[in-house]
Structure formats: structure tokens, C-alpha cells
Amino acid sequence: MDDAALLIAELLTRRWLPRSHPRVKRALVDAELFAQVEQRLAQSGLRWMDSIYADHVSVALLPAAQNGVLGEAGLNANNNLELPRDAQALLVVLWALIVLPKRERQTSRAQEGDAGQSDFFPAAKPLPQAASVSPVLSYKALLEDYGPQLGKKLRLDANLKLLERHGFILRRQDEIAEGPLLDVLLDYDVLAPRILDGALADVLARERAADDHEQNQAPAHDHQAQEAINTGAST
């Protein structure tokens, strides 16, 4: 088997691969290899799914193949993963809370650690990796803020497990992080305007205000701590 066939076989087996994978890295810089991968995927009714803002790649059905594979009922369904309605709502909420601020940080070429520093050539900086700027959510905060609307704890826990199994999120104890497919399979150009101009606009505005407040509080706390140290030293 050649590299194109091996890459496709591994993608179909694992469902996603990191951009740092040797064959993925080669396909992204080797135009001939990438063309072979795309051609062979297309022959099977599939397409390469990639985003410069995501750390992983995947495959999905070509629009032309959807009718034959999913049938009319599948095309008319609002999702082909058979996610229940409250799981779909949870997925959109998580996408809005994780992907939107992540994209904002990436497009501004600002890492979280050096935010606020001046840079003479910001456009020359490489796009930050998703893992370095993607927000991590608190499960307790999610349950408190959205639990009543998303079926309370029992349904929220079940749907989080479902989304984790499909690769949309990662769970680390109380933390919820971006999964391999969250910013790959969901179309930013379609979702972002609907969310920013829709029902979640006020929620996201409050989240941004809370983040700004925390960032503004940090320097004040550092200053107070330094004053306390100086006072203690003088006595």
C-alpha cells in the first residue's frame, strides 16, 4: 500500500488524526500526495475535513453521496449521528463557549500567556495551536448555568458522555475541553452568525465580560500582594 492508501485507511479506522501525524504532515505539504488522497476519498463518496484552526483532520461524506448513503430520512434529519435534541443543544452551547473564543484568540495571533504585549509584526506570528488557546470549561459551572435548560444533571452527564464518544469534547475530571472534531465537523461559517446574532449572543457577552473582569482583577491582586510583601519587609 502506498502512503495515500495508508493515510486513508488510518483515517477511516481512527476517525480522526492529529495534524502532527507523520502522514498527515506530509499530505499537508505534498500537493501530489494530497491530490491522491482527495481523489481516492472522492471515489468512495468521502471528502477530507480540515481546518487551519483545528489540531486534527477527519473525513466526511460528500454532499453528492449523502442521499445514497443516508436516504431521504437521513438528509431531512437535523443530524446523522442520531444525537437526541438536548445533546444537539448541548453541542451547540459547548461549541459556542469553546470554539468562538478560541478562534478570536487565534485570529488575533495572541497566545493567552502574552496577551497585552506589543508586537511590531503580529501578522508574522504563526497561528496558535488550538490546544494552546482553547478554553477549558468547568463541569460545575456548566451544570449551574445550563443544567435546567439541558435536562439537569442526569441528562447532562449522559449527553456529555455521548459527545465525548463522538470526539467532540474531552473530559478531564471536572474539566471539559475541545475534542478532535469540535472545530472540524461543525461549520463555523454557518454556526457563528446564527449564534452571535441569536439566542446565545447575550450569554456570550456575559462570558466575555466575566473573562475581562478576571483579567483586570489579576493585576490588582498582584499589586496588593506586592504591597503586603513590602509592608511586611519594612516592619
Side-chain angles (χ1 to χ4, degrees), residues 53-106:
Y53 300 99
D55 291 342
H56 295 77
V57 302
S58 185
V59 295
L61 281 174
L62 282 169
Q66 289 178 359
N67 186 42
V69 174
L70 301 176
E72 186 175 350
L75 287 176
N76 291 334
N78 47 22
N79 75 93
N80 55 33
L81 296 176
E82 298 183 354
L83 296 176
R85 185 164 297 180
D86 52 357
Q88 298 170 46
L90 175 60
L91 177 58
V92 172
V93 169
L94 294 173
W95 186 91
L97 296 177
I98 294 175
V99 172
L100 289 179
K102 182 197 76 168
R103 287 285 191 102
E104 187 175 348
R105 294 166 184 169
Q106 287 177 307

Side-chain angles (χ1 to χ4, degrees), residues 15-16 79 81-96 98 137 142 150 155-171 176-183 185-186:
R15 294 179 53 217
W16 60 79
N79 75 93
L81 296 176
E82 298 183 354
L83 296 176
R85 185 164 297 180
D86 52 357
Q88 298 170 46
L90 175 60
L91 177 58
V92 172
V93 169
L94 294 173
W95 186 91
I98 294 175
L137 308 180
L142 183 72
L150 296 173
R155 289 299 303 165
L156 185 65
D157 289 348
N159 287 328
L160 284 172
K161 290 180 180 178
L162 187 59
L163 296 181
E164 184 179 17
R165 187 163 68 246
H166 282 300
F168 291 115
I169 61 170
L170 299 173
R171 298 287 304 275
I176 302 170
E178 177 183 353
L181 300 182
L182 188 65
D183 201 10
L185 295 188
L186 277 71

Side-chain angles (χ1 to χ4, degrees), residues 2-235:
D2 57 21
D3 284 342
L6 286 172
L7 176 55
I8 292 172
E10 196 163 4
L11 266 174
L12 293 177
T13 302
R14 301 183 184 276
R15 294 179 53 217
W16 60 79
L17 289 173
R19 295 173 70 91
S20 59
H21 187 285
R23 291 193 186 92
V24 175
K25 289 175 66 175
R26 186 186 163 197
L28 292 174
V29 298
D30 187 330
E32 183 178 353
L33 174 59
F34 188 74
Q36 291 177 3
V37 171
E38 282 197 311
Q39 181 181 16
R40 296 185 191 182
L41 284 172
Q43 290 172 349
S44 301
L46 298 170
R47 57 176 170 153
W48 177 276
M49 297 296 292
D50 185 18
S51 169
I52 61 172
Y53 300 99
D55 291 342
H56 295 77
V57 302
S58 185
V59 295
L61 281 174
L62 282 169
Q66 289 178 359
N67 186 42
V69 174
L70 301 176
E72 186 175 350
L75 287 176
N76 291 334
N78 47 22
N79 75 93
N80 55 33
L81 296 176
E82 298 183 354
L83 296 176
R85 185 164 297 180
D86 52 357
Q88 298 170 46
L90 175 60
L91 177 58
V92 172
V93 169
L94 294 173
W95 186 91
L97 296 177
I98 294 175
V99 172
L100 289 179
K102 182 197 76 168
R103 287 285 191 102
E104 187 175 348
R105 294 166 184 169
Q106 287 177 307
T107 53
S108 65
R109 302 293 199 273
Q111 299 279 0
E112 285 182 302
D114 59 16
Q117 294 182 358
S118 60
D119 193 336
F120 289 108
F121 304 104
K125 295 178 67 175
L127 195 69
Q129 290 187 336
S132 67
V133 293
S134 185
V136 176
L137 308 180
S138 164
Y139 166 77
K140 293 179 180 177
L142 183 72
L143 178 62
E144 181 178 349
D145 293 341
Y146 301 98
Q149 294 84 11
L150 296 173
K152 299 186 179 179
K153 188 178 188 304
L154 184 63
R155 289 299 303 165
L156 185 65
D157 289 348
N159 287 328
L160 284 172
K161 290 180 180 178
L162 187 59
L163 296 181
E164 184 179 17
R165 187 163 68 246
H166 282 300
F168 291 115
I169 61 170
L170 299 173
R171 298 287 304 275
R172 307 185 190 100
Q173 297 180 345
D174 186 52
E175 296 180 339
I176 302 170
E178 177 183 353
L181 300 182
L182 188 65
D183 201 10
V184 175
L185 295 188
L186 277 71
D187 192 331
Y188 180 92
D189 293 334
V190 173
L191 269 181
R194 297 180 182 179
I195 291 173
L196 293 173
D197 300 330
L200 286 177
D202 293 338
V203 174
L204 293 174
R206 289 197 298 269
E207 294 284 344
R208 287 197 183 97
D211 289 342
D212 292 341
H213 178 71
E214 290 179 2
Q215 292 175 5
N216 292 333
Q217 287 291 98
H221 290 161
D222 293 343
H223 179 68
Q224 292 170 2
Q226 187 61 49
E227 285 187 342
I229 293 172
N230 294 337
T231 302
S234 63
T235 58

